[in-house]
Amino acid sequence: MLKLKDRKRAIKGLAEELKGLMEGEETITIMHLCGTHEDTVTRYNLRSLLPENLKVVPGPGCPVCITPDTDLQRAFHLLEKENVILTTFGDMARVPFEGKSFFYYKSKGYDVRIVYSVFDALEIAKTTDKPVVFFAIGFETTMPSTAVAVLDGVENFYVLSAHRFFIPAMEHLLSFDDVRIDGFICPGHVSTIVGVKAYEHIKVPQVIAGFEPEDVLLALCMLVKAIKNGENCLLNEYTRAVRYEGNVKAQKVMNEVFDRDDWEWRGLGVVRNSGAPLKKRYEDFDALKVFEDAFKDFEPREDKKKRLCRCGDVLRGVATPLDCSLFMKACTPKNPIGACMVSFEGTCNIWARYWRG
Ligand code: SF4
């Protein structure tokens, strides 16, 4: 590990290199795809070190944020209809829909429990006869754990899957006319599971990067050089954690349990092959199948309270939190209106935490 003064020198050197590389160039827009990358960029104020013609925009890298209201309403619907213990992550429990959240339901006496991992939910199931439903969100980083929990096969444990495969969303982003992407900084955590090979078919310059400021700046240098040379590179800056094959065991267990389907993402619409329902052979653990009757009258609605919320645009990289009229006025981390203000990985929450306005 470099000493602080050496790190500062490295950051300064990379920022200067970027300025030199971008001199006289057209604007280049790089999208990163991970809440932790946005945290690094904002916490260390990296944008202030970049030349004006190099833009770094956050994409749909926060699992809580991209989970659409339909999935949330479905979980609320199940709570209202069935006498279940609903388990979910703390961030997810604060996402509002029509002013209600899992915490709201908890305060009204519904059995909602906050867990740190799917295995906590599994432990709860082992101590009760009541059905325990895990509202499962997240990308390939959390999917393998959910798959292992399903394979453990505790009788009263069910998964309401809102998991999504990440790579299809990257291809989908490239299909929008209003989204400019000259290159991707690929998500570090997801990459540890899917490996470098998962990105090979995506035809824009890409660099897989770690989460230190030096990692991000180095990834930007690598991308700018490739873009200037007209190369569709796929480079791995995060070699200390990401391998070409990824985590093969995790991939195997994930593919054993989860199927693929066309599912909606907040801000992106329906993304082909991105949804992760449980495979038919595991339907005994699938809350959608087991509580099928409860969902018969389920009809998703639009949340009118979110009319002005621009989460969708923020997730697509076409707006920043500052473009939202509610940012740090009606919408704050204490009183979030949209999901991007709830999660620690959400762009609005990150900008709010380091807000100096
Ligand atoms: Fe939505 Fe709040 Fe972000 Fe505006 S500031 S886009 S209301 S989450």
Side-chain angles (χ1 to χ4, degrees), residues 294-310:
F295 292 112
K296 273 192 179 137
D297 61 345
F298 173 69
E299 279 193 23
R301 301 180 301 276
E302 201 192 327
D303 184 351
K304 294 199 174 69
K305 289 188 177 171
K306 288 184 184 163
R307 253 187 7 257
L308 295 175
C309 170
R310 297 198 60 191

Side-chain angles (χ1 to χ4, degrees), residues 308-311 314 321 324 326-327 331 337-341 348:
L308 295 175
C309 170
R310 297 198 60 191
C311 261
V314 171
C324 175
L326 308 180
F327 180 71
C331 183
I337 287 177
C340 299
M341 187 56 96
C348 298

Side-chain angles (χ1 to χ4, degrees), residues 35-304:
T36 315
H37 279 140
E38 183 54 30
D39 189 277
T40 301
V41 169
T42 306
R43 178 199 300 246
Y44 295 101
N45 211 1
L46 295 188
R47 287 189 180 92
S48 70
L49 301 178
L50 303 180
E52 275 194 6
N53 52 351
L54 179 59
K55 310 279 179 218
V56 177
V57 298
C62 157
V64 169
C65 308
I66 63 92
T67 302
D69 282 346
T70 314
D71 288 23
L72 197 58
Q73 291 174 76
R74 205 177 274 119
F76 291 171
H77 189 81
L78 181 63
L79 259 177
E80 286 170 9
K81 292 272 174 169
E82 296 282 340
N83 186 18
V84 299
I85 299 174
L86 196 297
T87 59
T88 190
F89 298 134
D91 270 10
M92 198 66 228
R94 295 186 60 229
V95 178
F97 178 78
E98 293 180 338
K100 295 176 182 171
S101 65
F102 284 117
F103 276 126
Y104 165 87
Y105 280 94
K106 193 172 170 62
S107 74
K108 295 290 172 199
Y110 290 90
D111 201 344
V112 174
R113 304 199 197 172
I114 306 307
V115 291
Y116 291 101
S117 90
V118 63
F119 301 111
D120 295 341
L122 204 58
E123 285 309 308
I124 295 169
K126 287 176 187 169
T127 62
T128 176
D129 291 332
K130 264 179 91 172
V132 175
V133 176
F134 177 59
F135 184 51
I137 63 150
F139 307 129
E140 286 88 337
T141 354
T142 49
M143 249 190 261
S145 306
T146 308
V148 169
V150 168
L151 292 175
D152 269 3
V154 174
E155 220 173 50
N156 58 333
F157 170 77
Y158 309 102
V159 171
L160 183 56
S161 177
H163 279 308
R164 272 147 178 91
F165 292 99
F166 195 79
I167 311 295
M170 292 172 67
E171 297 168 86
H172 188 80
L173 277 162
L174 296 172
S175 70
F176 288 105
D177 288 337
D178 64 337
V179 180
R180 172 152 183 194
I181 300 167
D182 296 308
F184 282 126
I185 294 182
C186 299
H189 301 311
V190 167
S191 302
T192 59
I193 305 294
V194 301
V196 179
K197 68 176 168 71
Y199 302 97
E200 282 175 337
H201 63 289
I202 300 175
K203 299 297 174 214
V204 287
Q206 302 168 79
V207 175
I208 299 166
F211 299 105
E212 299 298 333
E214 303 91 304
D215 290 318
V216 175
L217 291 173
L218 183 55
L220 288 173
C221 281
M222 292 158 95
L223 281 166
V224 169
K225 282 179 194 164
I227 292 164
K228 281 177 67 170
N229 293 332
E231 293 164 9
N232 263 342
C233 69
L234 168 55
L235 301 168
N236 181 13
E237 186 278 337
Y238 198 24
T239 49
R240 59 192 188 273
V242 177
R243 294 188 194 93
Y244 177 76
E245 292 290 339
N247 184 332
V248 177
K249 269 191 188 167
Q251 290 165 23
K252 206 170 159 213
V253 80
M254 191 165 68
N255 293 329
E256 164 63 27
V257 170
F258 292 106
D259 225 330
R260 290 197 179 238
D261 202 351
D262 305 341
W263 280 8
E264 183 199 350
W265 292 44
R266 190 191 302 281
L268 270 60
V270 174
V271 180
R272 260 191 95 227
N273 281 331
S274 68
L278 265 66
K279 281 188 175 162
K280 192 163 171 39
R281 59 178 170 272
Y282 296 106
E283 67 181 15
D284 288 352
F285 303 98
D286 186 348
L288 278 181
K289 294 275 185 251
V290 175
F291 302 104
E292 191 162 49
D293 287 347
F295 292 112
K296 273 192 179 137
D297 61 345
F298 173 69
E299 279 193 23
R301 301 180 301 276
E302 201 192 327
D303 184 351
K304 294 199 174 69

Side-chain angles (χ1 to χ4, degrees), residues 322-335:
L322 299 185
D323 296 319
C324 175
S325 59
L326 308 180
F327 180 71
M328 296 310 275
K329 292 176 187 130
C331 183
T332 64
K334 269 195 175 167
N335 291 302

